[in-house]
Amino acid sequence: MDSNKRRIVAIALVAVLVVAATAVVVVSGMLKQEQFSSSVTDAAGKYVALDKRPERIVSCSPAISEIVCALGLGDKLVAVTDYDDYPAEAAKLVEDKHTIGGYYTPSFEKILEYEPDLVLVNSRTGPHQELAERLYDAKYTVVQLYPQENLEEVYKSIELVGKIAGKTDKADELISSMKASISDVGSKVKDLEKPNVMYVTYAEARFTSVYLTGSGTAVDEIIALSGGKNAFVDLEGWVAPSDEEFKIRAKSIDCMVITSMYSGSDVDDMNAYFQDDDLWKESPAVKNNTIFYLQGQGENIFNRQSV
């Protein structure tokens, strides 16, 4: 065989090897994609399985959206609620009007428009459970998450999303980081005096129609973990105390935390009311100016039990 023929054969062999190597890479990638599978038993006790990674996720809660984004899945979100304003990926969807209604008013029809391969809802929330049933009937994949009424349920919800979306390692990392941060705060406040804290999630003008946290809520747990005592710990859940209950406790409240996004009252007006009212002006929180008003993301950090 002369040199030209040998050169042609060599080139042909190299070409065959390149094609073969490329084919191996492509097929290998396809096999990896086909081999993806995940399954969970969700908060409603439903077994859910996927044979491909979710690429079109609909979130029916701002807190759920934060979990999805924290797990690095923000680019998979295709629709959220009208009230999602954090993080940027969720807020952009609202800005672009890719929404499915409010937290308590999710639209089944709007969700279908987005052709999701995964819909995330809260269990033990009436409208979400009703929505889930309709989605089951329509053969859509739904995972019901825990309602995040305490930190353990937040961790469980993160774990569920991580498992079903193939982000188990990231979920474990996120949960470990959260627990470490909480432990760090706890170690710093464990020897400090524990102030009596009143956390108010809603109050109208002149501090009427007040709605605050008792025991058994995530906020109650956060108060304890941060070194405080819930002034209304003997009441259970989210409550609207009577005037008599306020009179009994007002003089022992060292700190007030009030979310004001929906209060309908100006902060200055609220402070003026506390200072002029015969009951509240005797509160240590008023005397020492330890009343803190939360708005925007400051409010969301407490009211949305998420990451």
Side-chain angles (χ1 to χ4, degrees), residues 55-298:
E55 296 291 335
R56 300 184 62 79
I57 301 174
V58 168
S59 165
C60 297
S61 159
I64 292 175
S65 300
E66 291 186 20
I67 290 174
V68 170
C69 293
L71 291 173
L73 297 165
D75 61 330
K76 309 302 181 187
L77 275 174
V78 293
V80 295
T81 75
D82 296 337
Y83 302 105
D84 279 66
D85 55 9
Y86 182 86
E89 297 99 320
K92 185 66 165 60
L93 287 170
V94 175
E95 180 184 336
D96 294 340
K97 303 189 185 305
H98 295 307
T99 62
I100 50 90
Y103 176 77
Y104 289 107
T105 57
S107 168
F108 172 76
E109 290 76 17
K110 282 189 175 181
I111 289 173
L112 297 194
E113 290 177 8
Y114 290 98
E115 300 181 345
D117 48 23
L118 177 62
V119 181
L120 300 173
V121 304
N122 268 338
S123 66
R124 303 203 300 270
T125 299
H128 286 218
Q129 289 177 309
E130 293 170 11
L131 173 66
E133 292 300 327
R134 295 186 70 184
L135 289 167
Y136 294 146
D137 290 342
K139 307 302 181 186
Y140 282 85
T141 301
V142 182
V143 171
Q144 295 194 47
L145 305 184
Y146 293 87
Q148 297 111 51
E149 292 176 356
N150 54 58
L151 293 178
E152 187 58 35
E153 289 190 337
V154 174
Y155 301 145
K156 288 181 178 178
S157 290
I158 294 171
E159 187 177 20
L160 278 177
V161 178
K163 282 183 177 180
I164 199 66
K167 291 283 187 175
T168 301
D169 290 345
K170 181 63 177 177
D172 291 343
E173 177 187 325
L174 188 57
I175 292 167
S176 295
S177 175
M178 292 172 67
K179 288 182 177 180
S181 295
I182 290 170
S183 177
D184 182 54
V185 171
S187 66
K188 291 177 179 176
V189 301
K190 66 178 181 179
D191 296 325
L192 301 179
E193 185 177 349
K194 298 182 182 298
N196 281 320
V197 179
M198 178 175 71
Y199 181 91
V200 178
T201 190
Y202 182 88
E204 294 180 357
R206 300 188 66 77
F207 209 56
T208 57
S209 301
V210 181
Y211 197 59
L212 50 77
T213 187
S215 62
T217 70
V219 171
D220 172 57
E221 190 176 355
I222 290 169
I223 291 172
L225 289 169
S226 59
K229 294 184 294 184
N230 186 350
F232 291 82
V233 72
D234 56 314
L235 304 180
E236 187 174 355
W238 292 97
V239 294
S242 65
D243 289 341
E244 187 62 30
E245 286 169 321
F246 277 131
K247 288 177 183 178
I248 293 171
R249 303 165 207 254
K251 290 185 179 181
S252 67
I253 295 174
D254 301 304
C255 173
M256 297 186 202
V257 180
I258 303 173
T259 64
S260 54
M261 185 180 293
Y262 302 110
S263 68
S265 57
D266 181 82
V267 169
D268 291 337
D269 288 342
M270 187 76 83
N271 279 333
Y273 167 74
F274 286 135
Q275 292 165 4
D276 293 339
D277 182 79
D278 290 339
L279 171 67
W280 287 110
K281 69 183 181 182
E282 298 302 319
S283 167
V286 176
K287 288 182 176 180
N288 299 322
N289 195 30
T290 49
I291 304 174
F292 303 93
Y293 297 92
L294 304 179
Q295 294 178 314
Q297 295 309 321

